[in-house]
């Protein structure tokens, strides 16, 4: 005969100074404060955090926002703190209308080899320093069947709060890892991809590059390299790839946003695998 | 014998209360204040404003930022006000590190017929209320050979300061107009496009829609309809189109950002006109 443990009710906290809420204190500068936590805001991101390899520490939110997660949190032994809108605003430092946030510890869930081993399509970033662009690249990659993300030098932290939010939580589930080496050496790591039979394709607005559709046609495994808006990929990085490909641009216009360019390349990759 | 008028030097203004700077006073809420002006910030946008049909009122900025525009402003009789970083910050209400802003009066430069008449590819928006998304759609349209933009109901003002900025000034040069009619009647305006031999294609994440590449193949003239992220196009709007098309999405992911979806459709349109 066994007894089922009832799900412990959420602990209600009314004092904004309560140390159990320290994880989410002054949330807007939480990343800068170096607490090194992962934050997920809103039901969609919180669910993706719960499904992720990151060990969840606590859930904080309004009663009705916490309710759908109560059973799972109880099963997994995650602390649940119920707060009012006012308390949450005082602790987080702004009016958090979504009313739900979860925190997790950082771990290193994937190795470069792990990301590569099961993948057919990868994206490799270089020099992308903007957290929103990083988040958007993860979102677009997840949406269009990219299997993993590799980071060269100069790429900002994908687990920053804003990246997680813009990625719609996909940065928490799509495998990613940092390639070894600094600014002028990381490109050597690309040899691992070539050895694993990936065709390495650099994305560049250069008019002499081949059309992206031609570069991707018939390649069983593809790794797409994208660089920061403005400078683009370094010559060093492009030299380490098999081909340079472009998205045709109208005369007199600027290159596209890096996440938009990446989305088009992902679309073309997906399209090249179909029999249209 | 004729004398060339020397270019009048920029007028230096040191008093933040000077009424000649009223156009750019409290710039962050300038749109809300209902002054009804068009604002362009930074050299790229200012140049596009000067090339646009909007009558430019003044240029304000740091001396070295104004210099490249001095001759043209003089030729066109545009007032030029030189300010220090401190004065500009006090007038605009924030530290404007780009150091250059131009204002223009609003006019209605294009009619619906004017937008349609010379076009081969158009985009039609419905319900896109976010100024950044509107700006990004204009930027992507300009970059990928879309000839014009039509606005159905529920689309926010493309001339808002933030739209202009995110569009990189393309909202000032790409022809656009508002279609007549309200929420349940504007769709009738789409008949004008069908009459002008456009194939009307709705973009939707619905899995039963055809692949966007199939929808666009072989169409001499195309109008792409896009709706707001989340609700998407209304059924009313989709019924007024010839075909519903989708960008394939990976299972368990959300639809793409509306400007990203539009960019992919523009790319596919451009691709369909090539002999790849």
């Amino acid at each position: 005969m066994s007894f089922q443990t009832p799900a412990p009710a959420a602990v209600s906290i009314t004092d904004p100074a309560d140390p159990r809420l320290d994880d989410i204190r002054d949330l807007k500068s939480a990343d800068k404060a170096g607490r090194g936590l992962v934050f997920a805001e809103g039901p969609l991101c919180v669910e993706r955090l719960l499904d992720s390899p990151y060990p969840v520490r606590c859930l904080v939110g309004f009663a009705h926002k916490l309710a759908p997660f109560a059973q799972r949190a109880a099963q997994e032994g995650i602390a649940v703190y119920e707060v009012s809108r006012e308390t949450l605003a005082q602790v987080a430092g702004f009016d958090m209308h979504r009313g739900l946030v979860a925190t997790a510890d950082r771990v290193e869930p994937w190795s470069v080899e792990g990301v590569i081993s099961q993948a057919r399509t990868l994206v490799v970033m270089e020099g992308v320093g903007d957290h929103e662009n990083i988040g958007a690249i993860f979102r677009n990659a997840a949406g269009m069947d990219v299997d993993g993300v590799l980071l060269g030098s100069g790429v900002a932290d994908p687990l920053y709060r804003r990246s997680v939010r813009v990625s719609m939580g996909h940065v928490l589930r799509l495998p990613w890892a940092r390639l070894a080496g600094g600014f002028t050496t990381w490109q050597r790591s690309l040899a691992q991809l070539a050895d694993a039979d990936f065709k390495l394709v650099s994305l560049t607005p250069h008019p002499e590059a081949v059309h992206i559709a031609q570069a991707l046609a018939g390649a069983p495994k593809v790794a797409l390299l994208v660089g920061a808006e403005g400078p683009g990929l370094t010559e060093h990085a492009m030299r380490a790839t098999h081909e340079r490909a472009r998205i045709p641009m109208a005369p007199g216009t600027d290159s596209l946003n890096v996440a938009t360019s990446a989305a088009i390349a992902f679309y073309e990759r997906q399209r090249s695998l179909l029999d249209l």
Side-chain angles (χ1 to χ4, degrees), chain A residues 36-252:
Chain A
L37 299 178
V38 182
F39 300 94
E41 297 151 86
L44 189 72
C45 279
V46 166
E47 188 161 347
R48 286 178 179 157
L49 183 64
L50 287 166
D51 290 341
S52 80
Y54 301 98
V56 178
R57 293 161 57 98
C58 67
L59 264 73
V60 184
F62 309 158
H64 69 285
K65 297 280 187 173
L66 290 168
F69 300 99
Q71 197 181 354
R72 183 156 179 194
Q75 278 163 354
E76 301 180 15
I78 299 164
V80 177
Y81 303 125
E82 187 193 315
V83 289
S84 69
R85 184 158 185 164
E86 292 67 35
T87 304
L88 184 57
Q90 281 182 274
V91 179
F94 62 100
D95 183 26
M96 228 182 143
H97 60 93
R98 283 192 250 195
L100 185 67
V101 56
T103 68
D105 284 313
R106 285 187 179 227
V107 290
E108 279 202 31
W110 301 281
S111 63
V112 172
E113 294 67 30
V115 173
I116 294 175
S117 64
Q118 301 297 318
R120 196 160 66 147
T121 308
L122 292 170
V123 58
V124 183
M125 296 186 215
E126 182 192 43
V128 181
D130 181 275
H131 293 109
E132 290 196 26
N133 282 337
I134 294 170
I137 289 172
F138 271 89
R139 177 185 176 184
N140 296 340
M144 287 184 287
D145 276 328
V146 174
D147 305 300
V149 181
L150 294 171
L151 310 183
S153 76
V155 180
D157 181 7
L159 291 179
Y160 233 65
R161 194 173 71 93
R162 208 184 333 157
S163 294
V164 174
R165 196 177 63 223
V166 174
S167 82
M168 314 277 270
H170 286 295
V171 74
L172 306 170
R173 47 190 327 240
L174 198 63
W176 66 274
R178 262 185 207 280
L179 291 165
F183 183 64
T184 54
T185 53
W186 77 269
Q187 300 88 345
R188 289 179 212 148
S189 305
L190 294 173
Q192 296 170 76
L193 292 165
D195 291 345
D197 297 323
F198 279 85
K199 178 173 184 181
L200 294 160
V201 177
S202 292
L203 216 57
T204 165
H206 200 289
E208 280 174 28
V210 302
H211 192 289
I212 180 77
Q214 287 165 321
L216 300 183
K221 292 163 89 177
V222 164
L224 282 155
L225 270 74
V226 298
E229 215 170 321
L233 290 167
T234 59
E235 184 60 29
H236 255 85
M238 289 199 278
R239 274 203 202 128
T241 65
H242 297 108
E243 200 157 31
R244 299 176 192 208
R246 73 187 158 82
I247 294 162
M249 299 296 298

